Short mmCIF file of all heavy atoms in Angstrom, two decimals:
data_model
loop_
_atom_site.label_atom_id
_atom_site.label_comp_id
_atom_site.label_asym_id
_atom_site.label_seq_id
_atom_site.Cartn_x
_atom_site.Cartn_y
_atom_site.Cartn_z
N GLY Q 43 -44.55 -44.75 34.94
CA GLY Q 43 -44.40 -45.27 33.58
C GLY Q 43 -45.65 -45.16 32.74
O GLY Q 43 -45.75 -45.79 31.71
N GLY Q 44 -46.63 -44.38 33.18
CA GLY Q 44 -47.89 -44.24 32.40
C GLY Q 44 -48.21 -42.80 32.21
O GLY Q 44 -47.39 -41.92 32.41
N GLY Q 45 -49.41 -42.51 31.75
CA GLY Q 45 -49.87 -41.14 31.61
C GLY Q 45 -49.67 -40.60 30.19
O GLY Q 45 -48.93 -39.66 29.96
N SER Q 46 -50.34 -41.22 29.22
CA SER Q 46 -50.14 -40.83 27.84
C SER Q 46 -50.70 -39.47 27.54
O SER Q 46 -50.35 -38.88 26.52
CB SER Q 46 -50.81 -41.86 26.93
OG SER Q 46 -52.20 -41.95 27.19
N ALA Q 47 -51.59 -38.91 28.38
CA ALA Q 47 -52.17 -37.62 28.12
C ALA Q 47 -51.16 -36.49 28.30
O ALA Q 47 -51.36 -35.39 27.79
CB ALA Q 47 -53.36 -37.36 29.00
N GLY Q 48 -50.05 -36.77 28.98
CA GLY Q 48 -49.07 -35.74 29.23
C GLY Q 48 -49.35 -34.97 30.50
O GLY Q 48 -50.48 -34.86 30.96
N PRO Q 49 -48.29 -34.43 31.14
CA PRO Q 49 -48.45 -33.84 32.45
C PRO Q 49 -49.21 -32.52 32.43
O PRO Q 49 -49.69 -32.11 33.47
CB PRO Q 49 -46.96 -33.58 32.90
CG PRO Q 49 -46.19 -33.51 31.62
CD PRO Q 49 -46.87 -34.43 30.65
N ASN Q 50 -49.39 -31.85 31.26
CA ASN Q 50 -50.05 -30.58 31.20
C ASN Q 50 -51.46 -30.65 30.57
O ASN Q 50 -52.04 -29.64 30.25
CB ASN Q 50 -49.21 -29.53 30.44
CG ASN Q 50 -47.89 -29.30 31.15
OD1 ASN Q 50 -47.86 -29.14 32.36
ND2 ASN Q 50 -46.78 -29.29 30.41
N ALA Q 51 -51.93 -31.88 30.29
CA ALA Q 51 -53.22 -32.02 29.68
C ALA Q 51 -54.33 -31.55 30.62
O ALA Q 51 -54.30 -31.77 31.81
CB ALA Q 51 -53.47 -33.48 29.30
N GLU Q 52 -55.29 -30.84 30.08
CA GLU Q 52 -56.42 -30.38 30.92
C GLU Q 52 -57.49 -31.46 31.02
O GLU Q 52 -57.77 -32.17 30.04
CB GLU Q 52 -57.04 -29.12 30.28
CG GLU Q 52 -56.11 -27.91 30.34
CD GLU Q 52 -56.82 -26.64 29.89
OE1 GLU Q 52 -58.06 -26.76 29.63
OE2 GLU Q 52 -56.16 -25.58 29.82
N GLY Q 53 -58.08 -31.57 32.20
CA GLY Q 53 -59.09 -32.58 32.39
C GLY Q 53 -60.42 -32.17 31.78
O GLY Q 53 -60.68 -30.99 31.52
N LEU Q 54 -61.25 -33.17 31.51
CA LEU Q 54 -62.60 -32.91 30.98
C LEU Q 54 -63.50 -32.31 32.04
O LEU Q 54 -64.45 -31.59 31.73
CB LEU Q 54 -63.21 -34.20 30.43
CG LEU Q 54 -62.44 -34.89 29.28
CD1 LEU Q 54 -63.11 -36.17 28.93
CD2 LEU Q 54 -62.37 -33.97 28.08
N ALA Q 55 -63.26 -32.62 33.29
CA ALA Q 55 -64.09 -32.12 34.38
C ALA Q 55 -63.21 -31.82 35.56
O ALA Q 55 -62.18 -32.49 35.78
CB ALA Q 55 -65.16 -33.17 34.75
N GLY Q 56 -63.61 -30.82 36.34
CA GLY Q 56 -62.87 -30.46 37.54
C GLY Q 56 -63.75 -30.63 38.76
O GLY Q 56 -64.89 -30.30 38.74
N LEU Q 57 -63.17 -31.21 39.81
CA LEU Q 57 -63.88 -31.33 41.09
C LEU Q 57 -63.38 -30.26 42.00
O LEU Q 57 -62.21 -29.97 42.09
CB LEU Q 57 -63.59 -32.72 41.70
CG LEU Q 57 -63.98 -33.97 40.89
CD1 LEU Q 57 -63.66 -35.21 41.64
CD2 LEU Q 57 -65.47 -33.93 40.58
N PRO Q 58 -64.32 -29.67 42.78
CA PRO Q 58 -63.89 -28.61 43.68
C PRO Q 58 -63.01 -29.19 44.80
O PRO Q 58 -63.22 -30.29 45.27
CB PRO Q 58 -65.22 -28.12 44.25
CG PRO Q 58 -66.16 -29.27 44.09
CD PRO Q 58 -65.74 -29.95 42.85
N ALA Q 59 -62.00 -28.41 45.19
CA ALA Q 59 -61.12 -28.80 46.31
C ALA Q 59 -61.49 -27.95 47.53
O ALA Q 59 -61.94 -26.83 47.40
CB ALA Q 59 -59.68 -28.56 45.89
N ASP Q 60 -61.31 -28.54 48.68
CA ASP Q 60 -61.71 -27.88 49.92
C ASP Q 60 -60.71 -28.38 50.98
O ASP Q 60 -60.49 -29.59 51.12
CB ASP Q 60 -63.15 -28.25 50.29
CG ASP Q 60 -63.70 -27.42 51.47
OD1 ASP Q 60 -63.03 -27.41 52.51
OD2 ASP Q 60 -64.75 -26.82 51.28
N ASP Q 61 -60.16 -27.44 51.79
CA ASP Q 61 -59.22 -27.84 52.81
C ASP Q 61 -59.81 -28.88 53.77
O ASP Q 61 -59.12 -29.73 54.34
CB ASP Q 61 -58.76 -26.62 53.59
CG ASP Q 61 -57.82 -25.75 52.80
OD1 ASP Q 61 -57.29 -26.23 51.77
OD2 ASP Q 61 -57.58 -24.57 53.20
N ARG Q 62 -61.12 -28.80 53.98
CA ARG Q 62 -61.75 -29.76 54.92
C ARG Q 62 -61.75 -31.19 54.37
O ARG Q 62 -61.84 -32.14 55.15
CB ARG Q 62 -63.20 -29.31 55.20
CG ARG Q 62 -63.26 -28.03 56.05
CD ARG Q 62 -64.57 -27.33 56.02
NE ARG Q 62 -64.80 -26.72 54.66
CZ ARG Q 62 -65.60 -25.71 54.45
NH1 ARG Q 62 -66.32 -25.25 55.46
NH2 ARG Q 62 -65.75 -25.20 53.29
N LEU Q 63 -61.61 -31.31 53.06
CA LEU Q 63 -61.57 -32.66 52.45
C LEU Q 63 -60.34 -33.44 52.94
O LEU Q 63 -60.39 -34.66 53.05
CB LEU Q 63 -61.53 -32.56 50.94
CG LEU Q 63 -62.83 -32.15 50.24
CD1 LEU Q 63 -62.58 -31.99 48.75
CD2 LEU Q 63 -63.90 -33.19 50.49
N VAL Q 64 -59.23 -32.75 53.20
CA VAL Q 64 -58.06 -33.40 53.64
C VAL Q 64 -58.32 -34.19 54.91
O VAL Q 64 -58.01 -35.39 55.05
CB VAL Q 64 -56.90 -32.41 53.85
CG1 VAL Q 64 -55.64 -33.12 54.38
CG2 VAL Q 64 -56.56 -31.65 52.56
N ALA Q 65 -58.88 -33.47 55.89
CA ALA Q 65 -59.19 -34.15 57.18
C ALA Q 65 -60.26 -35.22 57.02
O ALA Q 65 -60.18 -36.28 57.62
CB ALA Q 65 -59.63 -33.07 58.21
N LEU Q 66 -61.27 -34.95 56.18
CA LEU Q 66 -62.35 -35.89 56.04
C LEU Q 66 -61.94 -37.15 55.29
O LEU Q 66 -62.36 -38.26 55.63
CB LEU Q 66 -63.55 -35.27 55.36
CG LEU Q 66 -64.27 -34.22 56.16
CD1 LEU Q 66 -65.34 -33.48 55.32
CD2 LEU Q 66 -64.93 -34.82 57.43
N PHE Q 67 -61.09 -37.02 54.24
CA PHE Q 67 -60.60 -38.21 53.54
C PHE Q 67 -59.82 -39.07 54.50
O PHE Q 67 -59.92 -40.30 54.51
CB PHE Q 67 -59.69 -37.78 52.34
CG PHE Q 67 -60.44 -37.65 51.07
CD1 PHE Q 67 -60.55 -36.43 50.42
CD2 PHE Q 67 -61.08 -38.73 50.47
CE1 PHE Q 67 -61.25 -36.31 49.22
CE2 PHE Q 67 -61.76 -38.63 49.27
CZ PHE Q 67 -61.84 -37.38 48.67
N GLU Q 68 -58.98 -38.46 55.33
CA GLU Q 68 -58.19 -39.20 56.33
C GLU Q 68 -59.16 -39.89 57.32
O GLU Q 68 -58.94 -41.04 57.67
CB GLU Q 68 -57.27 -38.25 57.07
CG GLU Q 68 -56.45 -38.95 58.15
CD GLU Q 68 -55.62 -37.92 58.96
OE1 GLU Q 68 -56.20 -36.96 59.46
OE2 GLU Q 68 -54.42 -38.14 59.07
N ALA Q 69 -60.16 -39.17 57.76
CA ALA Q 69 -61.10 -39.72 58.70
C ALA Q 69 -61.85 -40.93 58.16
O ALA Q 69 -62.03 -41.95 58.84
CB ALA Q 69 -62.10 -38.66 59.18
N VAL Q 70 -62.25 -40.86 56.89
CA VAL Q 70 -62.97 -41.98 56.28
C VAL Q 70 -62.03 -43.17 56.07
O VAL Q 70 -62.33 -44.28 56.41
CB VAL Q 70 -63.54 -41.55 54.87
CG1 VAL Q 70 -64.09 -42.75 54.13
CG2 VAL Q 70 -64.68 -40.54 55.10
N ALA Q 71 -60.79 -42.87 55.58
CA ALA Q 71 -59.83 -43.98 55.28
C ALA Q 71 -59.38 -44.67 56.56
O ALA Q 71 -59.18 -45.90 56.54
CB ALA Q 71 -58.68 -43.41 54.50
N GLU Q 72 -59.19 -43.91 57.63
CA GLU Q 72 -58.60 -44.50 58.86
C GLU Q 72 -59.60 -44.68 59.95
O GLU Q 72 -59.24 -45.00 61.05
CB GLU Q 72 -57.46 -43.58 59.31
CG GLU Q 72 -56.32 -43.45 58.27
CD GLU Q 72 -55.17 -42.61 58.77
OE1 GLU Q 72 -55.24 -42.14 59.93
OE2 GLU Q 72 -54.23 -42.42 57.98
N ARG Q 73 -60.88 -44.49 59.64
CA ARG Q 73 -61.97 -44.71 60.61
C ARG Q 73 -61.73 -43.84 61.86
O ARG Q 73 -61.79 -44.32 63.00
CB ARG Q 73 -62.12 -46.17 60.97
CG ARG Q 73 -62.63 -47.00 59.78
CD ARG Q 73 -62.81 -48.46 60.13
NE ARG Q 73 -61.56 -49.14 60.28
CZ ARG Q 73 -61.16 -49.67 61.43
NH1 ARG Q 73 -61.94 -49.65 62.52
NH2 ARG Q 73 -60.02 -50.29 61.53
N ARG Q 74 -61.51 -42.55 61.63
CA ARG Q 74 -61.35 -41.58 62.74
C ARG Q 74 -62.68 -40.87 63.00
O ARG Q 74 -63.34 -40.47 62.03
CB ARG Q 74 -60.27 -40.55 62.38
CG ARG Q 74 -58.86 -41.12 62.19
CD ARG Q 74 -57.92 -40.00 61.74
NE ARG Q 74 -56.59 -40.46 61.50
CZ ARG Q 74 -55.58 -40.34 62.38
NH1 ARG Q 74 -55.83 -39.72 63.53
NH2 ARG Q 74 -54.37 -40.79 62.13
N GLU Q 75 -63.01 -40.69 64.23
CA GLU Q 75 -64.18 -39.87 64.57
C GLU Q 75 -63.91 -38.44 64.13
O GLU Q 75 -62.79 -37.94 64.30
CB GLU Q 75 -64.41 -39.95 66.06
CG GLU Q 75 -65.69 -39.30 66.54
CD GLU Q 75 -65.87 -39.45 68.04
OE1 GLU Q 75 -65.29 -38.59 68.77
OE2 GLU Q 75 -66.53 -40.39 68.48
N ALA Q 76 -64.91 -37.77 63.59
CA ALA Q 76 -64.75 -36.36 63.12
C ALA Q 76 -65.71 -35.44 63.85
O ALA Q 76 -66.84 -35.82 64.18
CB ALA Q 76 -65.01 -36.30 61.62
N ARG Q 77 -65.24 -34.22 64.10
CA ARG Q 77 -66.04 -33.23 64.81
C ARG Q 77 -66.00 -31.93 64.00
O ARG Q 77 -64.97 -31.48 63.56
CB ARG Q 77 -65.52 -32.99 66.23
CG ARG Q 77 -65.68 -34.21 67.14
CD ARG Q 77 -64.99 -34.01 68.45
NE ARG Q 77 -63.55 -33.96 68.29
CZ ARG Q 77 -62.77 -35.02 68.24
NH1 ARG Q 77 -63.31 -36.23 68.25
NH2 ARG Q 77 -61.45 -34.89 68.10
N PHE Q 78 -67.19 -31.33 63.82
CA PHE Q 78 -67.29 -30.05 63.11
C PHE Q 78 -68.61 -29.36 63.51
O PHE Q 78 -69.46 -29.97 64.15
CB PHE Q 78 -67.20 -30.27 61.58
CG PHE Q 78 -68.10 -31.33 61.06
CD1 PHE Q 78 -69.43 -31.04 60.78
CD2 PHE Q 78 -67.64 -32.62 60.83
CE1 PHE Q 78 -70.30 -32.05 60.25
CE2 PHE Q 78 -68.44 -33.61 60.30
CZ PHE Q 78 -69.80 -33.32 60.01
N ARG Q 79 -68.76 -28.14 63.03
CA ARG Q 79 -70.02 -27.41 63.29
C ARG Q 79 -70.79 -27.30 62.00
O ARG Q 79 -70.21 -26.96 60.95
CB ARG Q 79 -69.69 -26.02 63.83
CG ARG Q 79 -70.91 -25.30 64.40
CD ARG Q 79 -70.51 -24.13 65.30
NE ARG Q 79 -71.68 -23.48 65.88
CZ ARG Q 79 -72.36 -23.89 66.94
NH1 ARG Q 79 -71.99 -25.04 67.52
NH2 ARG Q 79 -73.39 -23.22 67.40
N TYR Q 80 -72.08 -27.60 62.08
CA TYR Q 80 -72.93 -27.65 60.87
C TYR Q 80 -74.29 -27.16 61.22
O TYR Q 80 -74.92 -27.64 62.15
CB TYR Q 80 -72.99 -29.11 60.37
CG TYR Q 80 -73.52 -29.30 59.00
CD1 TYR Q 80 -72.70 -29.17 57.90
CD2 TYR Q 80 -74.83 -29.64 58.75
CE1 TYR Q 80 -73.20 -29.34 56.57
CE2 TYR Q 80 -75.34 -29.83 57.51
CZ TYR Q 80 -74.47 -29.69 56.41
OH TYR Q 80 -74.99 -29.88 55.14
N HIS Q 81 -74.77 -26.12 60.47
CA HIS Q 81 -76.07 -25.54 60.75
C HIS Q 81 -76.18 -25.11 62.22
O HIS Q 81 -77.14 -25.38 62.90
CB HIS Q 81 -77.22 -26.45 60.36
CG HIS Q 81 -77.40 -26.62 58.89
ND1 HIS Q 81 -77.50 -25.56 58.01
CD2 HIS Q 81 -77.52 -27.75 58.11
CE1 HIS Q 81 -77.63 -26.02 56.76
NE2 HIS Q 81 -77.65 -27.32 56.85
#
């Protein structure tokens, strides 16, 4: 019942999306241990 800007309005700023964010958001929200390779 909200959203006065309309469904096709462009945002003022875009944040990059990354497939790894899906797993990391879940890990942060649900306090899951995460494993990955870095440097």
Side-chain angles (χ1 to χ4, degrees):
S46 58
N50 297 316
E52 293 188 3
L54 299 176
L57 299 181
D60 189 306
D61 288 345
R62 289 161 291 202
L63 287 175
V64 178
L66 290 174
F67 269 116
E68 178 186 54
V70 171
E72 299 183 1
R73 293 182 289 116
R74 296 174 181 263
E75 187 179 84
R77 293 172 293 278
F78 50 82
R79 192 162 181 81
Y80 194 84
H81 289 309

